[in-house]
Structures are given as structure tokens and as C-alpha cells.
């Protein structure tokens, strides 16, 4: 089958490669001409513009947009809406906000153009392992794109089958899911990333406690100097917390056991935030997912204003003047021994 | 090699079975005679008492205690300390508090008896999949027990090897780790369970938001009715959140998609609590692990006193009288539409 | 000065009364004729409709809308926009979302009508104690309304003056603040309520721990049976946690020491949610305010789906079958003694 | 009445002064001779040692220990236990851990010496405002010390009385509470401080969101540049969040509106930690109090190891390389516009 691809970054380029490896044809476009040239050298048809790309595809066309969520995706989708013909389909495979999908699909529907939102997980490993896809859109369009999804998905592989799935939609076991109408694909992907944040933070906190077990807050026979790389590795094997994220963690720790190569400055993408927004709209408690997000916010500041407020209040009622390195009645070792201050 | 086993419950019994399958001999004891008889029928040597068990083992002896943490383990370990001879070793394979290990090891050391603490993960699946073991104790004792650990561990299996581990302790890749001196084994297992709580809660919150996406707080075209079993399944395949816990979740949802068979009353074992205790002693923030623990506490109450306090204050300043089912200016749908109350 | 008031509920009615007590005139309207009649009997001029109210006011008019946030306020403000004349001013004294203020002010500005958003705190006590007001809008309109705000505010009273305020805006010490342009008033009120949630939850958790200090998880000499009413009372006097919310708490506990009269079902209004939304947009960690909100969400469910997920996973890996009242290896007293289960 | 005081720091010295102002006699000791000399010049009787102090008091003696919790208090109490006679009483007015009280009281009881634990709130303001006291101990000793407590407590003052307290213990309204047996005083004080942490954090987060409302994540007409000093001031007057902590906040902001004089490094004393420990032992959720504690832990680190773990995982699955100042697909402004990264 033939697919147009707009956006040849880390994700888009590899998606095209995986499709071509499995016998599909791709017409590709990117603002960076070098990216187009590289894929053309690998067998894709290069396109110099959106209009050129549309012209080089046979109707009914399928155009996958793989750009940063927000303005880049919005503009491209809207321009494509003007260039395409009734019966064509636009796939937004990026990390768009699900409400944008609902809105865009409505606009395009009036032009007879289908819109399919695809949450795509797999990162830099997807070319080799395949992509897990969560899909929203009308059935006609999703079904027509099935060869594309089937080629991109991991397939059954050697992952054990879940009992009790006989008679259920077989695509799910292949690694792609038609989750519902427009917006559903990105909604599920949003929650996927929210969970990802929570899991990452769970590991991160656990390893941090393992690391600080060597701090001099306890007598020598109650302190431990753990090899974190070995702990990550052993947990991969038969433990309840084994996961792909743990595999990656074991990788990282095996090569840099103290993670000195990392700053500790942690970005967040929109999905973590939108997950909390959905939780709040739906009055669903989400303590862990929220705490995971806030850790990232905090990681990007030297000190929050909130912390200065605490210091100011402490000075107000107790005369405490605080600073790192300053001797204090309540340094950690002292507090651990039960020697607190007065308030 | 020969091992004594005390405690033939879900874990202890299967550990004996896995050892015998791999050519080791076991002398077994349990307060329940039927449990002893069953294992004896499978090839173990039954013992009628601790003294009998000790007598039936050849020195230097190795006795594995697999009992509930707390009084049962404490009493048994101390009795064994009196019955055993210098050079013998006691293994506590349960979920003891790591400080109890430090103390017990000190007491036993004076009698010349070794003590090894083993955090054992694997649950009801361990017989087949093998057990992940985190071990604390002196090197001599741990090394002597190596045939036992090697037999219980999962082994390399088909889990991909982590790059960069050449030259490292090969036992770790087999699934068992000598983590450090006494207490280290159960400390690492404690953190393992703390992480487990956090991961479970991350999944639980994510699926809860997926489920409540169908609540009537939004217009129809912004509501989704997701098939949670399919979502769990698709995430097993190529996504960032794949894990063994997700495999189990997919299992559960495939057979009971709304989990109607579960009460929502959630126990916690000691490790989750001790993890937080360690975090606090070590001044290490652990938001996610703590929130996961508190969710379980909350799940076991109909209403907390704290919630009644909130209601009492709201009545105090705003005249609000609250109860489920009562029409309220701030029911969820109204709030979602922006119709809050006044305070 | 003359003020029109639309909405004669708990807040609107008392605002009119306080204004009339201080010599101002009010023209009042409410959908409920009885409410209009009651205020008319107290000296206000009743109006049968919005149009009637507008007609009975002298230009330039000032009309205060005191209705539930959302559709009721939106419709009324927009209708007033059509009825009023250039130079008139609409005050939204309810709990509107600040972005609605920004939008509405823009629409009305084109008609020459001023819009002022006023966050009003004071609840049922405002008639007597005065209202704390946080005001957003253009300077001309806010200044013109000064007699109204001055009459509604508490005034200096016997609250000690803050040192260092000489030369600052004297209105603030009277209890009203021109916080900034449109939206600023409700933004500040939103944060006020967010903080209120956090403070309430801090007290609630503290008292809950005091109450559960009597649970049989510890030996008798480590258990306490506290008189919560006395504790609330003593903290009002010289302690660091004294506050008006604590005064209300002491009131409630003095008359119902176990709060048996409260269900523990706790509503939330929009401000708590919007506070978190702002925190997330601004990448500002807000753990405490968020946790306080989630407690309320949780209080309104018997069991969350998330909790059922936890139970399902626990059954999956450990064979645990959980239910209240069921004997369990990990009931609280057992866990407190260190007798956890195995996983 | 006559009182011995050991420890003449910020708290102990002022307690002696307030007692002398109200006609009581004090015999005072401190390791710092200058502190003794200063109080002696103000009318106290100086003592050169514990033994000297004991000798200068008439039986039955009352000795107040006001030292840092932990070793200093422990040693002094135990030495006094040897020096005092049956019928004498030791008061620990510091911030001891309640379990230490239970233990010490038991040891002293065997010598016939009473032990009274007093949680003392009031900070540097206590001399003038009086101290709020939470008292644990046997009735005989507490009653005998009543003149001391009455002199130190704030008294009724002009704080409005709580309705419904007729017939209740009148001491509570004076500002001191006999909370229960030994340990009860410090348990209540511990929870007091736990709540204090939560309230402080609630304010701190709220003001932080107000401050970050000026960050360029939104269009100009949705940004606000608030005067935080004015906001703190106006909330003192008639709002639901008025409190003594807010008074102190208004003070601090009036003199340093951006709190540039504070580092944001925040200590914690033992009570905040012990509060969480009690919550966990009692299986009582305490999200807000815990989050407040963790904020302080976090404030004392440049970056946590946990944050480096997150970065390492993000690099692992997505190839993200993170650092402050580095252009990123997910900087805050971009994310606010919906331009997230891909995972």
C-alpha cells in the first residue's frame, strides 16, 4: 500500500523504513531537504512540498503527519485538508491533544476527508521492535489503513498470549488497537504516557532510597552500599517489578552506575499534563501520576518560590535562619537521632 | 545439597518442590502435619519438630525458614539458634524487617551460627518461573548455599542480556544477588515491594481515568467508552509501559473486564510501610511510593475521619450540608461546566 | 451609592443587607419572587426582570451579579451587556473561572460596558464580619465602585497592622484589593480557595492521626484516647496553627466531638480544580493543593476502580483474595507487629 | 511557685522571664555561664550544675528541661533522675519523641520521680503572647504544676470563646491542655507541627502559583503580575484562609516582596517525620502532611538521584538528552502550546 509521510524525524523516518522493509511504498516530505534525500536514497519517493506529495499519491490517499504536536501539526493538517480530496485520509501519528483531534476531525469531515489519530509508542526502538499503536477514527478509514498498521505493529512475536482472548479483536494481539472514535487514540496514548511517568517515578524513588541507604544517618551496621546496576539486573529476572523500563534502567546503570552523566533536569511532554487535566475533569484521584509530573517541574528549578516562603515563615515564628552548610539544630543526622528544633 | 525447610505454605512448599526437581534433598517441617505429609509423598523427608528436623540434617546444616514475618519467624529463628551447631546456617526467606535481620544475625553470630536473609520474589509463579532472590549475609555462608540459590533462580532463560555486564558477578544474571551484609537482602526486597506498590498504583490510576472517560461530565463527542482489556493487551506489545504486572492486568481484565469480582479493599504488607520509613530516615522524597501506600490505607475505610472534618469545616464557613445523592451546587457535572459554589 | 444586585441567595442577599446597613441603595432581582419581596421589605427596591432592574438604576449604572458560576452567570452577564449603556459596569462577584472573565470583559468592552470580577470570601459570616474582596478590572470602574467595596469590606477592625505597609495602598488593609486587570480578581480568589483546600486537609489529616492513635495497633501504653475538641481549642490559643478555620473546627468538635453528624462525603467547587490547572500550565509543583483536591474526589466513591485494579494484580501475582473482614496475613495489627505477607 | 530551668536558649530563657514577670521564682542552669549570668541579673537564682540546681530547690521540686530533643535531653533527664528525690517532678518542655517520654517516665517512676512531657508552641513570640502547652503525665504532677502552666499560657485574652464549652475543662481556654498520660503531650505537639508543615506548604504553593502567573506560558492578556504582599495582607481580613501563619507571611512579604533574602533551603525537625511515622503505623492516610515534609527534603538537594534516573530512562527509550538551557521539544512554553515530544 502507498502512504505519504510528512515529518522525517526520529519517529517519522523509521516508520517509513519499517513500512518499506515490509513492501509498502512511501512518498515523503520534510522541511529539511536532506531528510527527504536520505529516505529517497533508501527507496522512498521524495516530495518537495505538501502539494507535490498529494499529487504523487494515488486516490484515495493516506497521509501520515508525524510532527511535533501543536502548531506544526495543526498547520499541516489544515493545509492538507485543503489539498486532499473526499475519501482521502489524514493520520496524525504524533502526540496531539485529544480535543484537537475531535475538533480537526469535525472540520475535515465537512470536506469529506477522514482523520485518524494514532498514538504511537516505541520510541527509538520501534524500527526494530515495532510500534504499539492506539487508534481513533471512523471504522472505514481505520480498516482501510489496516495493512499499514499491521506492518508497523510488533506482531505476536514471542510474547506469551493472554488467556481468555479467543474471539476478541485479533489486531490487539498484533499490537494495534482501534480504541474508538476520533480522539480515542490520543486519549489512550495520553494515559499511556501518564502511566509511564508514574512507573518511571516509582523506580526512580526506589533506587534513590537504595542509594541514600549509605548516608551517615544510621550507625554503620545499619548502612548499606548497594550496587544499583546489579539490583536493576536481578529484578529483571523473575521479580514482580520486571518491565521494559527496568531493562532500560539496567542498561543505563551498567554503563554509568552513579548516573553522573545525567543532569537531573527532566523535561515533560504534554501528555503527562493532559492526563492530570482529564483526571481532574473526571473527578478521578490520580496521586501517583500527578506526583510524577510535579517531580519533573521541580527538577527544572534551583529553588521554588514556595521553598522561600517556607523559610520566611520559619524565620517569622521561630527565628530560624536557613542556608545550606549552615550548622542547624535539625540537620538530617541530628534529626535521625531525635534532636529536633523547637517551634 | 540438603536443605531443611520450615514453613510449607504457598512459598515454602513450592521452593521445596523446585529444589527436589533439580536434584536436591529436603527435610521439611510445618505445624500442619498434612503439609508435611504432602511434601513427604513428593519425596521430601518429613520432620515432626524443629529438633527432629535438625537431627535429620547433616552438619554443616542449612535451614530455610519460610514463615510470616514477625513473631512466627522470630520465635523459630531463635529456637533454631539453640538447636543448631556452630557452622550451621539459618536462612530467613520471608519478608522480615531488615533491622530484625541485623539484630538476629548478631545474636546468632555469638553462637557461631550464620544467618542469611533472603528477599524472595516470584509469588505463586515461582515454582515454574523461578525465584528472584536478594541475599544478605556473610560471604562464607552465602557462597556455601550457592547450589540452592542457583536451583531456585530463574536462570538466564530467554531474557535478553544487558550490554556492559561482562566481568560482573554472573550470579546476578541468573536471578540472585548477594546484596551485602545481613539486612541487605531484605532491604532490597523491601524497596522492590515499595516500587511494586508505586507501579501498581500508576497502572491503577491510568485505567481508572480511562474508565471514567465515559462519565457524563463532558459532551457526547468528548466521551469515550474504552475496552480496558484490549488496552492492557495492546500495551503489552511494543509500548513503553509493558511489564509483568501489565501481563497480569491483561489477564485479569480479559476474564472480568469491569473487575466486578473485586471488592477494592486492598491490604498492604510491611515492606511498603518500611520503605517509607527508610525514605524518611534518609530524608529522601518518595511521593509516589507513599501515595501508593496511602491509597491502600484509604481503600479499607468507608469514610475517613479526615473527610468528616472537611465536611464540618465546610458547614462552618459556608453552611454546606453534604451527603451523597443530595443535590449540590458543586456536583461533578456542574463543576465541569464551571458552576462552582461560593466560599 | 446605588447598586443593582442580581441573585439573592446566601451571598447576594447578605451583601445587599450590609450595603443598606451602611447607607447605600439597592435595586434587587432574583428568579425567586419571594427573595425579592423579602429584600424589598428590608428596604431594597425590587425589580421584576433584568430590564426592569436596569431601568430602575440611574446611569452610570453598577450591577452586581451573584449567581452560580457557569451558565447562570454567563447568560445574565451577556443579557445585561445588551441592556446596559456605555459607561455602565457589571460586577461578577461569584466564583467564575478567570478565563471567562477575560473573554467577557473583551466582549463588553466593545459595547463600552465595564466588567469587574470580584472574588468574594466570607461565606455565611460576611454580613457580620465583612467580605474580603479580590478585584480585577480597569482602574476607572474599580475606583468608581470604591464606596461599595469599602462598605462590604471588614475594615481595619482590631486585627493588628502589618509592619512595613506605610505608603502602600490603604484599601488592602480595609480588606479589598485591586489585584490587576480582568481575571485577576477571580484568579486570586481561585488560589485562595486552593490554599483553603490545602489547609483544611492539613487539619483533617492531623486530627485523623490523633483519632487513630487509639487504634489497637500498639501496646496499651503507646495508645492515646484524645479529646479532639480540647485539642482544637487549645491550639487556638498561642499556637502556630491558630486560624479562623481552626476556630470553626473547634466549634464543630465542641458540639459533636466524633463528628457523627457528618457523612464524610465532600464536594468540591471549581476553584480547587482550576488552581491545579493553573499550576500545571505554569509548571509549578502543587503537591499539597492537589492531594487535598483528590481526597475530596475519593470521598465521593465507595471504591475506586483503581483499587479494584490493585486487588486484581495482587491476586494475579500472589493469589491474594481480599475483602473487608476477611482474615488476612496483613491486617493492620499484624503488619504493625511486622507480620507481612509474601510477594 | 519555684521552678528549676535547665537550658536557657531562645525558649528556656523566655519561659523563665515570663514566669518571673508573673511572680514565680526560678533557679536556672545552662552550660553557657553567660546565659545563667544574664538571667540571674534579671532576678533568677543561678546554678552552676545540675546538682547545684537541685540543691537550691525546695522539695517537692519541679525541674523544667528545655534542651534540644535527643541526646542532650536524654542525658539531662537521666542525670536528674539520679539527683532528685521521690515526689519531685521533671518536665521535658522540648520536642522529644513521644516514645522516649513513655520510656523515661517508666524509668523515673521506679525512683518515685514524676515525669511530665510538655509540647510548647509559641516560638520567639511566646514571651509576649504566651505559650500554648500540650501536657502528658500523671494527674498529680500536672495538677501540682498548674500555677506554672497558668502563668505561661496566653490566657483568655480577646480571642472569642467557642460556643458549647461550658462545663468543659477551663484550663484549655487558658491555653494549656492535659492531653493524657506520658507521651500524650509530645504526641499532640508532634501532630501540631505536622499540621503546621501542611499549612505552610499550602500557603507556599498558592503563592508560588500566583508568582508564576507572570511566566510567559500564556498570551499577555492571560498573564498576571501580582503584588504578593498585598494579597497576603488582604487575606488577613475577612477571608477563610486567615491565620497567624498568614500574618507572619504578610510581615515577610511586606519587607521583602520577592523573598530574595531567603535561600529556599528548608530544614525539618523531627516532629514532621514522626507524624508520618505515626500515620503509617496507624494506617491513616496523610498525603498533605507527607508531601509537605518531602518538599523540605527536596529543597536541600541540588538534584535528586531519582531525577537522574528519570533522565536516564528518557534517554533509553526516546534518545532524549536533557539539560537546563538546552533547546528541547518540550520546554514549558512549547508544552503549554501543545507541542510535546514523542515517546
Amino acid at each position: 500500500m502507498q502512504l505519504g509521510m510528512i515529518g522525517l524525524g526520529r519517529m517519522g523516518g523509521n516508520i517509513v523504513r519499517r513500512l518499506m522493509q515490509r513492501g509498502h511504498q512511501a512518498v515523503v516530505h520534510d522541511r529539511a531537504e536532506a531528510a527527504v534525500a536520505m529516505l529517497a536514497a533508501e527507496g522512498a519517493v521524495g516530495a518537495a512540498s505538501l502539494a507535490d506529495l498529494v499529487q504523487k499519491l494515488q486516490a484515495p490517499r493516506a497521509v501520515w503527519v508525524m510532527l511535533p504536536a501543536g502548531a506544526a501539526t495543526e498547520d499541516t493538517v489544515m493545509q492538507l485538508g485543503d489539498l486532499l480530496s473526499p475519501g482521502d485520509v489524514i493520520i496524525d501519528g504524533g502526540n496531539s491533544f485529544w480535543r484537537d483531534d475531535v475538533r480537526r476531525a469535525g472540520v475535515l469531515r465537512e470536506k469529506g476527508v477522514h482523520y485518524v489519530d494514532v498514538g504511537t509508542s516505541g520510541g527509538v526502538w520501534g524500527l526494530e521492535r515495532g510500534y504499539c499503536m492506539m487508534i481513533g477514527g471512523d471504522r472505514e478509514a481505520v480498516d482501510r489503513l489496516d495493512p499499514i498498521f499491521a506492518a508497523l505493529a510488533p506482531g505476536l512475536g514471542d510474547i506469551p498470549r493472554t488467556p481468555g482472548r479467543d474471539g476478541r479483536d485479533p489486531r490487539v494481539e498484533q499490537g494495534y488497537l482501534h480504541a474508538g472514535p476520533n480522539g480515542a487514540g490520543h486519549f489512550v496514548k495520553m494515559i499511556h504516557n501518564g502511566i509511564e511517568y508514574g512507573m518511571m517515578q516509582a523506580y526512580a524513588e526506589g533506587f534513590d532510597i537504595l542509594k541514600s541507604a549509605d548516608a551517615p544517618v544510621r550507625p554503620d551496621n545499619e548502612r548499606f552500599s548497594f550496587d544499583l546496576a546489579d539490583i536493576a539486573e536481578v529484578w529483571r529476572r523473575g521479580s514482580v517489578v520486571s518491565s521494559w523500563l527496568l531493562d532500560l534502567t539496567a542498561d543505563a546503570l551498567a554503563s554509568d552506575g552513579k548516573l553522573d552523566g545525567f543532569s537531573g533536569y527532566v523535561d515533560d511532554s504534554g501528555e503527562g499534563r493532559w492526563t492530570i487535566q482529564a483526571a481532574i475533569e473526571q473527578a478521578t484521584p490520580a496521586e501517583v501520576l500527578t506526583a510524577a509530573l510535579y517531580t519533573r517541574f521541580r527538577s527544572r528549578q534551583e529553588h521554588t518560590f514556595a521553598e522561600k516562603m517556607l523559610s520566611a515563615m520559619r524565620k517569622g515564628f521561630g527565628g530560624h535562619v536557613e542556608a545550606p552548610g549552615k550548622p542547624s539544630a535539625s540537620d538530617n543526622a541530628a534529626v535521625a537521632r531525635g534532636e529536633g528544633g523547637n517551634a
Side-chain angles (χ1 to χ4, degrees), chain A:
Chain A
M1 178 172 170
Q2 193 191 38
L3 183 79
M5 172 65 70
I6 297 166
L8 302 174
R10 209 147 39 188
M11 296 287 287
N14 282 344
I15 286 175
V16 168
R17 286 184 186 95
R18 190 168 169 101
L19 286 175
M20 293 193 302
Q21 286 170 1
R22 279 155 183 76
H24 297 286
Q25 293 106 43
V27 181
V28 302
H29 173 68
D30 193 287
R31 285 194 314 184
E33 294 180 14
V36 176
M38 181 180 295
L39 263 296
E42 299 179 35
V45 175
S49 66
L50 295 191
D52 186 31
L53 179 137
V54 168
Q55 198 192 353
K56 284 173 171 161
L57 290 166
Q58 294 156 349
R61 302 173 187 83
V63 184
W64 186 299
V65 178
M66 203 66 189
L67 294 170
T73 296
E74 180 74 18
D75 294 350
T76 302
V77 168
M78 287 304 151
Q79 287 178 47
L80 281 174
D82 291 337
L83 293 166
L84 292 173
S85 309
D88 290 350
V89 54
I90 299 173
I91 302 120
D92 176 6
N95 275 328
S96 289
F97 182 44
W98 61 271
R99 278 206 173 95
D100 288 335
D101 296 320
V102 174
R103 176 179 47 76
R104 286 176 198 152
V107 172
L108 294 169
R109 195 175 297 122
E110 297 186 5
K111 304 174 193 259
V113 174
H114 299 276
Y115 178 86
V116 173
D117 52 288
V118 180
T120 315
S121 185
V124 293
W125 300 79
L127 174 56
E128 176 190 341
R129 297 171 87 232
Y131 298 92
C132 174
M133 287 166 290
M134 301 140 253
I135 306 165
D138 60 77
R139 184 170 180 164
E140 180 191 337
V142 174
D143 284 354
R144 195 204 302 163
L145 295 166
D146 196 72
I148 299 294
F149 296 134
L152 292 176
L156 272 174
D158 54 3
I159 296 173
R161 296 189 59 192
T162 299
R165 286 200 56 85
D166 292 337
R168 284 178 162 276
D169 186 338
R171 295 175 294 182
V172 177
E173 287 189 321
Q174 302 293 326
Y176 60 109
L177 168 70
H178 185 189
N182 280 120
H186 279 141
F187 195 103
V188 175
K189 177 57 161 49
M190 169 184 85
I191 299 298
H192 168 277
N193 283 31
I195 292 172
E196 176 191 305
Y197 281 34
M199 290 175 66
M200 289 172 69
Q201 182 67 17
Y203 287 119
E205 292 179 2
F207 278 93
D208 204 350
I209 304 172
L210 287 170
K211 185 163 188 298
S212 64
D214 201 21
V217 293
R218 288 197 283 253
D220 276 355
N221 70 336
E222 294 197 345
R223 290 169 56 187
F224 303 105
S225 181
F226 291 117
D227 183 318
L228 303 186
D230 279 354
I231 290 174
E233 182 63 28
V234 84
W235 285 347
R236 296 180 66 222
R237 300 176 176 281
S239 97
V240 174
V241 302
S242 62
S243 73
W244 190 55
L245 280 166
L246 182 64
D247 295 347
L248 298 173
T249 301
D251 270 14
L253 287 167
S255 65
D256 177 5
K258 298 187 169 177
L259 302 183
D260 290 328
F262 295 91
S263 67
Y265 174 102
V266 192
D267 279 325
D268 74 285
S269 57
E271 294 92 344
R273 303 184 183 199
W274 303 327
T275 295
I276 310 311
Q277 182 178 322
I280 289 178
E281 285 179 6
Q282 299 167 200
T284 303
E287 271 298 348
V288 157
L289 307 191
T290 311
L293 179 65
Y294 287 164
T295 295
R296 298 187 176 199
F297 290 169
R298 177 62 186 84
S299 81
R300 304 199 296 258
Q301 300 192 51
E302 193 179 351
H303 276 292
T304 63
F305 186 73
E307 290 159 11
K308 298 189 178 193
M309 292 279 302
L310 298 179
S311 276
M313 283 187 253
R314 278 171 61 81
K315 187 180 175 197
F317 63 72
H320 307 286
V321 179
E322 298 173 303
K326 219 176 140 298
S328 151
S330 54
D331 68 278
N332 194 50
V335 168
R337 290 190 302 271
E339 303 165 15
N342 245 321

